[in-house]
Amino acid sequence: MTEDIWVGSWRPHHPRGPIMALYTSPGPKYMIPGTTGFVKHTPTKPRAPAYSFHGAPMVLADNYSPGPRYSVNPKILRTGKDMGPAYSILGRYQTKTVTTPGPGEYSPEKSIKYVFNSAPSHSISARTKSFRVDSTPGPAAYMLPMVMGPHTVGKVSQPSFSIKGRSKLGGFSQDLHKTPGPAAYRQTDIQVVKYKAPQYTMAARITAVGDKTTKPGPGAHSPEKVTMNKPRAPFLSFGIKHSDYMTPLILDVE
């Protein structure tokens, strides 16, 4: 038996799965499309036209076609109804007579302001019945802007000059005595543009803490009358105006 045959340490046995060497084709794993037929034809080869054979159709028992028994309208085509021009004879329609205005009722000359550009215009009419409750301003309350001069609105104006009378300020007849003096001008504080210097204020005299009794002043004392440290008080006397040691001036000469 083959089970008892050993080749060295290996015993031959049936393969557990397909082996590629046992097949001449790509193997059972791949399936190459065929070159015959129409279904699943290989896309790498040209395919010829294929025709199929079908059985004979079932014969209908009755004929459901229109046939000659129907009267088809000749105006009905395969695209629809042929609507050519057609006329019929009917009675006169009953129309309601309406009085319409004639050509003389129109005033085309009054339509100029509606057709062409025109300036705004206002009309003066009678007072309305609701005048007492109507407080809106009238046409006279508005004023159109000037179109001449330097104060035009929405227009470009040329430079304009005006001629005025002689000015009394700076003229030859100006009274210079009425001009303001130096005191009429206010001097700008220098601390506005420079660093501010320290400022001091004078407040009331602060009463010192202590005895509040009345003290004598310097005039209340008489230091010349003090004899406690001297033999007597100093005193003054009137003496001669010359020295005793000087020779007197003698003016009588014999």
Side-chain angles (χ1 to χ4, degrees):
M1 296 180 66
T2 57
E3 296 181 357
D4 298 334
I5 300 174
W6 287 79
V7 180
S9 61
W10 175 76
R11 185 176 63 179
H13 61 277
H14 293 284
R16 299 177 181 177
I19 301 175
M20 298 298 299
L22 299 178
Y23 299 94
T24 57
S25 61
K29 186 177 181 180
Y30 303 96
M31 184 175 180
I32 301 176
T35 57
T36 60
F38 182 81
V39 181
K40 295 183 180 180
H41 190 276
T42 176
T44 59
K45 302 293 182 180
R47 183 176 58 184
Y51 303 95
S52 60
F53 293 92
H54 197 274
M58 182 178 60
V59 180
L60 298 177
D62 298 328
N63 190 2
Y64 294 98
S65 61
R69 58 183 176 178
Y70 295 99
S71 178
V72 180
N73 191 351
K75 295 183 178 180
I76 301 299
L77 305 177
R78 64 181 182 86
T79 57
K81 189 176 181 180
D82 184 13
M83 297 297 294
Y87 303 95
S88 61
I89 301 175
L90 296 176
R92 179 174 295 179
Y93 291 98
Q94 295 180 1
T95 58
K96 185 178 179 180
T97 305
V98 180
T99 304
T100 57
E105 297 294 333
Y106 299 97
S107 300
E109 67 277 357
K110 296 181 180 180
S111 63
I112 296 178
K113 62 180 181 180
Y114 300 103
V115 178
F116 302 99
N117 294 331
S118 60
S121 59
H122 307 279
S123 60
I124 301 175
S125 61
R127 180 176 296 178
T128 58
K129 295 181 180 179
S130 59
F131 178 76
R132 295 182 179 179
V133 296
D134 188 7
S135 59
T136 56
Y142 301 96
M143 181 177 293
L144 296 177
M146 300 176 61
V147 296
M148 297 181 62
H151 303 289
T152 57
V153 178
K155 302 292 183 180
V156 179
S157 61
Q158 299 297 330
S160 57
F161 305 93
S162 60
I163 301 176
K164 298 177 65 176
R166 179 175 296 171
S167 176
K168 295 182 179 180
L169 181 62
F172 67 93
S173 60
Q174 181 183 1
D175 189 3
L176 301 179
H177 293 284
K178 297 181 181 180
T179 56
Y185 298 96
R186 177 178 173 272
Q187 184 180 2
T188 304
D189 191 359
I190 196 173
Q191 297 179 2
V192 177
V193 295
K194 292 189 176 182
Y195 291 102
K196 186 176 182 180
Q199 296 179 350
Y200 305 94
T201 58
M202 298 180 63
R205 179 176 295 177
I206 300 175
T207 304
V209 180
D211 189 9
K212 298 183 180 181
T213 58
T214 305
K215 305 297 189 297
H221 302 279
S222 299
E224 68 277 0
K225 298 179 180 181
V226 178
T227 58
M228 295 179 62
N229 56 352
K230 294 182 181 182
R232 64 177 181 179
F235 65 95
L236 302 177
S237 62
F238 294 94
I240 60 177
K241 295 182 179 181
H242 59 273
S243 177
D244 296 340
Y245 303 98
M246 291 180 64
T247 304
L249 180 63
I250 303 174
L251 298 178
D252 295 339
V253 180
E254 295 180 358

